[in-house]
Amino acid sequence: CLNGDVFTVMRYGGILCLNRDMKKLAEHILLFEPTVIRMVPMMAKALYNRIAILNRQRPEMPIRKVKEQVLGTRLHKIISGGGYLAPDLAANYQRLGIAIAQGYGMSECSPKISSPDWTRPDKIASVGRIVDRCEVRIVDGEIQVKSPSVMMGYYKMPEETKETLVNGYLKTGDLGYIDEDNYLYITGRRKNLIILANGENVSPEELENGLLENRMLKEIVVSEEKDVIKAEVFPDYDYLDKKKVKNVQEEIQNIVDKYNRELPSYKRINKVYIRKDEFEKTTSQKIKRQYVKK
């Protein structure tokens, strides 16, 4: 965060505005009128849904004015990271005249591994092009990195260091692949991988990302329960209310059923739980999966 979000801005003479409280994000965007924002996809989706709701409420207002009431008058770029950026969401922002792309990195890599390429909107599903002097290999599906920026080790944690650094390569714990143009794609986390009794492997992030393209779903965690796939969903209640959806459970179930039809049988979500409250999250707004009910 310090290297990627703070020092880089200062290095190039930018003005850095820090949001004090997530609950005040919308208020602070209008206060600071930023030209560029760094945020996780979850927040980008929430802000776009605010625009969609306001547009529905005020159909006579030009979409440019609607956008300015949510994002201010100067925003032209969003740098996304820390989660999956849905191509549909990126396309929606691009239609508003706002460029959005995602990068990838880790604290252990100080932090960049790949950076957004603003000239290649066709690569929006990737996490960008691998940065110079960074060597990436895929071992059993896992992304491993060798670079001058990779850490020497965890402080006073020799066993953890030995497990994470192998022959100079940092084991990221992320699953993914590299395309022919050297763009990197993330497909999930190794530790979250679901292994069913029939031996099939299911990446929960793949299912979550596919479902989250629907605006009615705000947060979702997919996991395993008694050898079947389940999903715990926190809907976007504000959006559902504006759409005048009366039966939330039925509406969400219909969304999941439609999505299931596109999947092989072993990946299909068999149980759906609806949450009244958001998931507990880290300070970087990542869901704490270990606290999701089993």
Side-chain angles (χ1 to χ4, degrees):
C1 179
L2 284 173
N3 281 342
D5 299 343
V6 178
F7 294 151
T8 300
V9 175
M10 296 169 65
R11 162 67 178 80
Y12 291 104
I15 297 172
L16 181 65
C17 303
L18 300 177
N19 182 55
R20 184 176 71 245
D21 185 338
M22 291 305 299
K23 294 178 181 177
K24 293 184 176 291
L25 176 63
E27 176 185 331
H28 286 170
I29 288 175
L30 296 179
L31 172 66
F32 294 130
E33 291 259 325
T35 56
V36 179
I37 299 180
R38 293 178 180 265
M39 65 173 64
V40 295
M42 186 185 301
M43 293 311 305
K45 182 178 181 181
L47 289 169
Y48 183 81
N49 282 354
R50 287 173 67 96
I51 294 172
I53 290 170
L54 185 57
N55 188 41
R56 181 178 292 273
Q57 293 173 334
R58 303 287 300 275
E60 77 285 353
M61 184 182 293
I63 189 63
R64 179 179 61 83
K65 288 292 185 183
V66 174
K67 175 190 72 172
E68 290 175 355
Q69 289 199 8
V70 177
L71 300 174
T73 60
R74 303 194 304 165
L75 184 68
H76 65 86
K77 182 183 288 186
I78 294 175
I79 302 171
S80 180
Y84 173 76
L85 175 64
D88 284 353
L89 179 61
N92 287 336
Y93 271 104
Q94 287 162 357
R95 281 192 286 270
L96 293 175
I98 298 172
I100 183 170
Q102 56 187 336
Y104 168 65
M106 299 175 64
S107 298
E108 290 90 336
C109 204
S110 307
K112 283 188 179 182
I113 295 172
S114 60
S115 289
D117 187 345
W118 305 99
T119 68
R120 295 293 302 271
D122 58 309
K123 299 287 188 178
I124 193 64
S126 76
V127 290
R129 190 191 294 271
I130 297 170
V131 299
D132 292 343
R133 301 182 69 196
C134 187
E135 181 184 340
V136 176
R137 69 181 185 183
I138 309 297
V139 179
D140 295 329
E142 182 185 34
I143 298 167
Q144 298 186 2
V145 182
K146 179 186 284 187
S147 166
S149 67
V150 168
M151 67 173 184
M152 292 184 289
Y154 295 113
Y155 183 61
K156 292 186 177 180
M157 298 171 66
E159 291 303 315
E160 289 82 355
T161 298
K162 186 177 179 180
E163 291 176 6
T164 306
L165 295 176
V166 179
N167 297 325
Y169 280 90
L170 170 70
K171 297 170 66 176
T172 66
D174 290 314
L175 304 173
Y177 64 94
I178 306 167
D179 73 8
E180 66 281 359
D181 297 320
N182 214 33
Y183 287 82
L184 185 61
Y185 294 77
I186 309 294
T187 58
R189 287 285 292 170
R190 177 178 288 279
K191 68 179 181 181
N192 297 335
L193 197 65
I194 298 169
I195 303 176
L196 299 173
N198 61 7
E200 295 285 2
N201 291 350
V202 178
S203 169
E205 291 89 349
E206 177 189 350
L207 302 181
E208 292 162 4
N209 296 339
L211 283 167
L212 282 172
E213 293 191 16
N214 191 298
R215 280 188 221 159
M216 296 187 191
L217 279 61
K218 190 171 185 179
E219 299 172 4
I220 179 170
V221 171
V222 170
S223 58
E224 178 265 342
E225 181 176 278
K226 296 181 179 178
D227 205 42
V228 297
I229 306 298
K230 74 162 186 176
E232 195 168 339
V233 177
F234 177 65
D236 189 326
Y237 286 106
D238 288 339
Y239 190 74
L240 287 166
D241 184 56
K242 297 299 185 297
K243 292 275 289 184
K244 302 188 185 314
V245 173
K246 294 181 180 179
N247 191 326
V248 174
Q249 177 77 47
E250 182 180 0
E251 186 69 28
I252 300 302
Q253 186 65 58
N254 288 338
I255 292 170
V256 174
D257 290 344
K258 182 179 179 181
Y259 183 65
N260 274 340
R261 289 196 286 271
E262 303 172 3
L263 300 172
S265 58
Y266 71 90
K267 283 187 178 182
R268 289 175 185 166
I269 296 167
N270 291 278
K271 297 181 180 180
V272 179
Y273 300 98
I274 306 298
R275 292 178 64 96
K276 294 296 183 183
D277 302 306
E278 295 186 17
F279 290 97
E280 187 176 351
K281 302 181 189 68
T282 66
T283 54
S284 59
Q285 294 303 294
K286 293 181 181 179
I287 292 172
K288 294 182 177 180
R289 303 180 76 98
Q290 68 270 31
Y291 296 124
V292 177
K293 68 180 181 182
K294 302 295 184 183

